[in-house]
Amino acid sequence: MKVLLVEDDTTLNQNIKEYLMQEQFDVEVVFDGQIAEKVMKKTSFDCIILDVNLPFKNGYELCKEFRVYNKSTPVLMLTAFDELEDKVNGFDCGADDYLTKPFYMKELAMRIRSLIKRNNNLPGQETTENITVEDIVINQKTKTVKRSDIEIILTPREYQILLKLALAKGELVDKQELVKEIWGGSFEANTNTIEVYINFLRKKIDKPFDKQLIKTKIGYGYYLNL
Amino acid sequence: MKVLLVEDDTTLNQNIKEYLMQEQFDVEVVFDGQIAEKVMKKTSFDCIILDVNLPFKNGYELCKEFRVYNKSTPVLMLTAFDELEDKVNGFDCGADDYLTKPFYMKELAMRIRSLIKRNNNLPGQETTENITVEDIVINQKTKTVKRSDIEIILTPREYQILLKLALAKGELVDKQELVKEIWGGSFEANTNTIEVYINFLRKKIDKPFDKQLIKTKIGYGYYLNL
DNA sequence: AACTTTTATCGAAACTTTGTTAATAGTAAA
DNA sequence: TTTACTATTAACAAAGTTTCGATAAAAGTT
């Protein structure tokens, strides 16, 4: 269970982190909104805990922006009681729950667990989610792909490959892994099938645009140049 | 906004009621589990607030039983901090949120409003209603279909397929899913039955009209082009 | 620079999926 | 029992997808 904790108060941050780690969570901490924004884009978590008042970018904004490209990862907001007042409703920004300071650590842990559990039990969410990388949007439900809002029609295999690359978020995807996951366990290695498909994909999603996203790491595989 | 408050502590009950009324809620109060059970069955509310410790029947049981026949009305549980401990997870009984005593009235009101709002935004129960997509009207009660006010007679299978597509509201319906839901759990995959029925359907509901609604997503399934 | 290895590209062939029609089997009411 | 209708299967055509092999181009090595 990997959670992201965004809280600028160093003492509170430290306390929460310690408690959650002791409760078997894998905790990544961030102290300001600007860094949080980047981390949220790059890494995927089971739950995100956002303080409202943060340097550079507040929790509400962060959450709202996050929801544009990720609708499933649960977000829990931490609000001071006096912040409740004017914000009217913490859920307006797309948060799934909030906790008013001061709170019991026990309750925080419980709410996190509930959110994660609820999230895992939801029917479509994982598969329904839109995956966005740069200007490419992959809609898993409708199996459609858009780049710069232009629909690109991919065959099932092309789609699978693009999806795998996109899920890696720019990380290198080993050729063998790609082959294994798309053509199943055993596959004779003496063909250039992957190269052919990468070529098909490039024709469709790279050639018509300025920025070429699919990069080759010679000897290893492919990755998206984000 | 009608809420039901089930709380045996007379002072707290009174306080909550007053605050919520002042916040424009219409509040009905009950002081024990037995009466609550009856009221919940008889009357419908926008939100139910349940204390955990109640005479005769506790909040967890009440909630669990309620969920058997009502899955949509939001339930908020009120728990004392020391009750949190062993109950592990207030959501196990089907509650939508909980609040640990002592709490701020302001927060209670806010959470109630969120729950109601969230509930209203949820995709609907339109089982008995007429389903309309583009110029097609499906009357679920009479099992008749019209397009542009012209009645189209469909066989039961054709109807089932059209209904499933219509309920997806233009979203892709996976072929396997379609097969499973219409021919039941197991079905040998080596037939073209779906294609045949899609063909029948197209003849009846697409061919005689201008706009062709049933689209094929090759390799995946079908969807309505809305 | 010459050679080897790896990746890109292309077209044709093989294969899969989907669309269409027709024949056949099943079922329930006249 | 016959009739009218629905459901299923089969056969083939059409459309679309995947694979393969040949060759070109690029990258890495000596």
Side-chain angles (χ1 to χ4, degrees), chain A residues 3 11 13-14 31 65 79-80 83 88 112 117 119 122 125 149 151-152 160 195:
Chain A
V3 307
T11 318
N13 190 311
Q14 181 64 14
F31 298 84
E65 286 173 26
T79 50
E83 290 161 4
V88 182
I112 294 169
K117 202 171 157 191
N119 191 243
L122 281 178
Q125 299 302 278
D149 265 311
E151 180 155 0
I152 293 159
Q160 277 182 290
E195 283 90 346

Side-chain angles (χ1 to χ4, degrees), chain B residues 21-34:
Chain B
M21 280 175 70
Q22 172 197 311
E23 292 276 319
Q24 316 306 323
F25 287 101
D26 188 349
V27 186
E28 182 161 346
V29 296
V30 167
F31 297 85
D32 75 69
Q34 222 161 59

Side-chain angles (χ1 to χ4, degrees), chain B residues 58-69:
Chain B
N58 78 43
Y60 288 113
E61 289 174 67
L62 272 173
C63 183
K64 231 177 228 169
E65 286 171 28
F66 180 64
R67 279 285 174 258
V68 174
Y69 61 91

Side-chain angles (χ1 to χ4, degrees), chain B residues 175 192 202 216 222:
Chain B
K175 222 153 134 179
N192 66 341
R202 285 211 251 237
T216 306
Y222 298 89

Side-chain angles (χ1 to χ4, degrees), chain A:
Chain A
M1 286 307 167
K2 203 170 161 195
V3 307
L4 174 67
L5 169 63
V6 187
E7 167 63 65
D8 62 323
D9 179 315
T10 47
T11 318
L12 184 58
N13 190 311
Q14 181 64 14
N15 286 344
I16 296 176
K17 184 184 176 179
E18 269 168 22
Y19 187 87
L20 291 180
M21 280 175 72
Q22 173 196 312
E23 292 276 318
Q24 316 305 325
F25 288 101
D26 190 348
V27 186
E28 183 160 344
V29 296
V30 167
F31 298 84
D32 77 69
Q34 219 162 61
I35 294 167
E37 199 183 348
K38 281 179 197 157
V39 175
M40 286 158 82
K41 260 194 188 133
K42 267 214 164 162
T43 323
S44 84
F45 298 92
D46 295 293
C47 184
I48 295 172
I49 303 155
L50 281 182
D51 186 27
V52 170
N53 275 317
L54 288 167
F56 306 120
K57 186 158 252 176
N58 78 44
Y60 289 112
E61 289 174 66
L62 271 175
C63 183
K64 229 176 230 171
E65 286 173 26
F66 180 63
R67 279 287 173 256
V68 173
Y69 60 92
N70 182 320
K71 293 199 174 27
S72 74
T73 305
V75 172
L76 189 154
M77 306 279 294
L78 300 178
T79 50
F81 178 61
D82 52 4
E83 290 161 4
L84 269 184
E85 192 85 81
D86 56 335
K87 300 298 152 79
V88 182
N89 197 327
F91 297 104
D92 279 349
C93 63
D96 299 278
D97 201 354
Y98 60 91
L99 209 45
T100 333
K101 298 181 198 174
F103 52 81
Y104 298 106
M105 286 296 168
K106 204 183 282 178
E107 180 159 9
L108 174 64
M110 197 188 275
R111 283 189 185 271
I112 294 169
R113 260 191 274 273
S114 296
L115 286 170
I116 293 173
K117 202 171 157 191
R118 195 196 304 181
N119 191 243
N120 291 337
N121 290 341
L122 281 178
Q125 299 302 278
E126 196 87 48
T127 36
T128 304
E129 203 187 306
N130 280 5
I131 293 160
T132 310
V133 278
E134 210 89 349
D135 55 348
I136 295 180
V137 180
I138 304 175
N139 184 325
Q140 296 219 57
K141 201 167 184 175
T142 60
K143 259 96 184 166
T144 53
V145 175
K146 282 185 178 189
R147 182 160 182 191
S148 303
D149 265 311
I150 296 157
E151 180 155 0
I152 293 159
I153 291 155
L154 298 183
T155 73
R157 288 261 129 122
E158 290 162 358
Y159 176 84
Q160 277 182 290
I161 289 168
L162 179 63
L163 182 64
K164 191 118 181 61
L165 288 172
L167 287 172
K169 290 179 191 238
E171 293 292 301
L172 181 67
V173 180
D174 190 87
K175 225 155 133 179
Q176 292 316 305
E177 238 182 80
L178 213 62
V179 170
K180 255 174 205 160
E181 212 171 293
I182 288 155
W183 283 271
S186 60
F187 190 74
E188 292 303 309
N190 58 354
T191 62
N192 66 342
T193 316
I194 279 286
E195 283 90 346
V196 172
Y197 275 98
I198 290 288
N199 182 36
F200 287 164
L201 259 180
R202 286 212 252 238
K203 272 185 195 157
K204 288 183 179 177
I205 80 147
D206 264 355
K207 296 266 167 72
F209 299 89
D210 280 349
K211 189 173 178 192
Q212 308 296 290
L213 287 170
I214 303 172
K215 291 276 179 180
T216 307
K217 178 95 195 169
I218 207 160
Y220 298 101
Y222 299 89
Y223 61 97
L224 295 183
N225 175 230
L226 304 186

Side-chain angles (χ1 to χ4, degrees), chain B residues 2 6 19 32 34 39 53 55 69-70 76 79 84 93 96 103 106 112 139 144 151 172 181 194 197 203 212:
Chain B
K2 203 171 163 194
V6 188
Y19 187 87
D32 75 69
Q34 222 161 59
V39 175
N53 275 317
Y69 61 91
N70 184 319
L76 190 154
T79 50
L84 267 183
C93 62
D96 300 278
F103 51 84
K106 202 181 286 177
I112 294 169
N139 185 327
T144 52
E151 179 152 2
L172 180 70
E181 213 169 293
I194 280 284
Y197 276 98
K203 273 184 194 158
Q212 309 296 289

